Amino acid sequence: MKAVPNGKVCAAPALWPTLWIMMTMAVAVALPATATAQYRDGDTPVVTPVSAPAAEPPFDPVPAFSQAYRLAGHPVVMLLWNRSLSDQTQAQTEQRKTITDSARGSRQASTKTTSDRADSATLTDEDASAQRKRTIVTGNYESGDNAAPNAGPQSASALMLQRAFMAELQRGGVRFVDRTMAVRTTAATAHRAGGDRQLIEADAMLKHAQLVMEVLPVADKRAPAGHAFDVRTRRVADGRELAAVYTHAMPSAPPQRPGGWVAGKDGYEFRHPLAPPPPNAVELGQALARDVMLALGGRLHAESRAPK
């Protein structure tokens, strides 16, 4: 050891090679521990895509709508699905005339032959008669009901959409009355002698429902189903419109998944996530009910808070 002028002690120059070897060995011993600390068990591998953050649950309008519907007195709703409510007070009728023709005929013939020594002749007499009968039937017939002009037999997807729409509204407390049953029972009790279809339907609304909800599809290429929906809700007592909604019925977007690096033939390459599948009929029906509850619930809530 050697003393220096500032009072510190340092190793002699001859010991420096020995100290260098000792420091190198210490670093070599520490390297495996350092490498192990960089890659611990349970860590996410470098090439594994990072999972998407947990998405917030979609907005549920049912609690707020249920409260507004309850404050409004749980009004009974008659649903007109793909059926318009026209302003005609009587069903249109048309007169039809049916003509039936029938014919019957007969033919009689007689033959007479005469002969002479060299000549002969044949005479024929014919008698034809015909009879024709015409029958004319007239009557008045209803030209049709108020179904939408393009309404046809319901497909399975259309039926599922309607059922999902009604089920979501019923989850919010809505009470539906079946239109067919209301019309039939009203005709049986108040129109046994016969009556106009439009008047019977109006009596059924006054007797069994407080609200009428009309849902009509409208061709719209921007909508995911190829058609949007025009929904109108009216009061039966005074005909006042509570809510009118035009919507594409867009379901809530699923959480966006991130892409990731995957091994390819030329090394790792980034793959974008697949596009989500198009919404099905149940998702469209639930989205349609969501938009209707947002509009109708707001109006019911405002009316319940308005001064009487």
Side-chain angles (χ1 to χ4, degrees):
M1 308 297 286
K2 182 179 179 182
V4 294
N6 59 4
K8 295 183 179 181
V9 178
C10 65
L15 298 177
W16 288 356
T18 304
L19 293 175
W20 177 259
I21 295 174
M22 295 175 62
M23 292 175 61
T24 305
M25 294 178 62
V27 172
V29 172
L31 279 177
T34 305
T36 304
Q38 292 177 354
Y39 299 94
R40 294 185 178 91
D41 293 339
D43 283 354
T44 303
V46 177
V47 296
T48 301
V50 180
S51 59
E56 296 182 359
F59 173 72
D60 187 5
V62 167
F65 175 81
S66 180
Q67 181 181 6
Y69 185 76
R70 176 179 56 81
L71 293 176
H74 297 91
V76 179
V77 178
M78 178 180 289
L79 179 63
L80 303 183
W81 186 269
N82 202 16
R83 180 180 295 273
S84 62
L85 186 64
S86 67
D87 58 356
Q88 297 176 356
T89 57
Q90 292 183 340
Q92 294 182 347
T93 59
E94 58 184 11
Q95 188 177 30
R96 300 176 187 174
K97 179 183 294 186
T98 304
I99 301 176
T100 304
D101 290 335
S102 60
R104 185 179 61 182
S106 61
R107 180 175 178 275
Q108 297 178 353
S110 62
T111 302
K112 181 179 181 182
T113 303
T114 59
S115 61
D116 201 354
R117 293 179 180 177
D119 300 327
S120 65
T122 301
L123 300 177
T124 302
D125 295 329
E126 294 186 356
D127 182 14
S129 62
Q131 183 179 2
R132 192 175 188 88
K133 181 180 179 181
R134 171 170 292 191
T135 303
I136 301 175
V137 179
T138 60
N140 294 328
Y141 302 88
E142 292 188 3
S143 59
D145 59 9
N146 54 352
N150 57 347
Q154 281 194 325
S155 62
S157 60
L159 187 60
M160 292 172 61
L161 192 153
Q162 178 184 354
R163 293 291 184 265
F165 171 79
M166 295 180 64
E168 195 69 4
L169 285 175
Q170 287 172 333
R171 191 167 68 90
V174 173
R175 299 186 299 164
F176 287 105
V177 61
D178 184 76
R179 173 187 174 275
T180 301
M181 289 297 301
V183 170
R184 293 290 297 272
T185 56
T186 301
T189 56
H191 298 270
R192 280 193 171 272
D196 184 83
R197 180 187 299 175
Q198 299 288 76
L199 296 179
I200 296 175
E201 182 182 45
D203 284 343
M205 293 178 182
L206 290 170
K207 183 178 180 181
H208 296 284
Q210 287 80 49
L211 300 179
V212 174
M213 182 179 293
E214 177 184 325
V215 181
L216 293 175
V218 181
D220 193 332
K221 296 181 179 180
R222 299 171 298 171
H227 57 265
F229 297 91
D230 182 27
V231 185
R232 303 176 65 186
T233 305
R234 308 180 183 92
R235 288 189 183 276
V236 176
D238 54 12
R240 188 158 54 92
E241 185 174 84
L242 284 181
V245 182
Y246 181 85
T247 174
H248 290 170
M250 293 287 294
S252 300
Q256 182 67 30
R257 297 185 61 86
W261 292 92
V262 296
K265 62 179 182 178
D266 296 328
Y268 287 101
E269 56 186 17
F270 189 81
R271 294 284 180 86
H272 293 279
L274 297 177
N280 56 39
V282 174
E283 293 171 339
L284 291 173
Q286 293 172 347
L288 176 60
R290 175 203 61 202
D291 295 343
V292 171
M293 283 190 286
L294 287 174
L296 181 59
R299 290 296 302 272
L300 293 176
H301 180 73
E303 291 202 351
S304 64
R305 296 175 61 89
K308 302 298 182 181

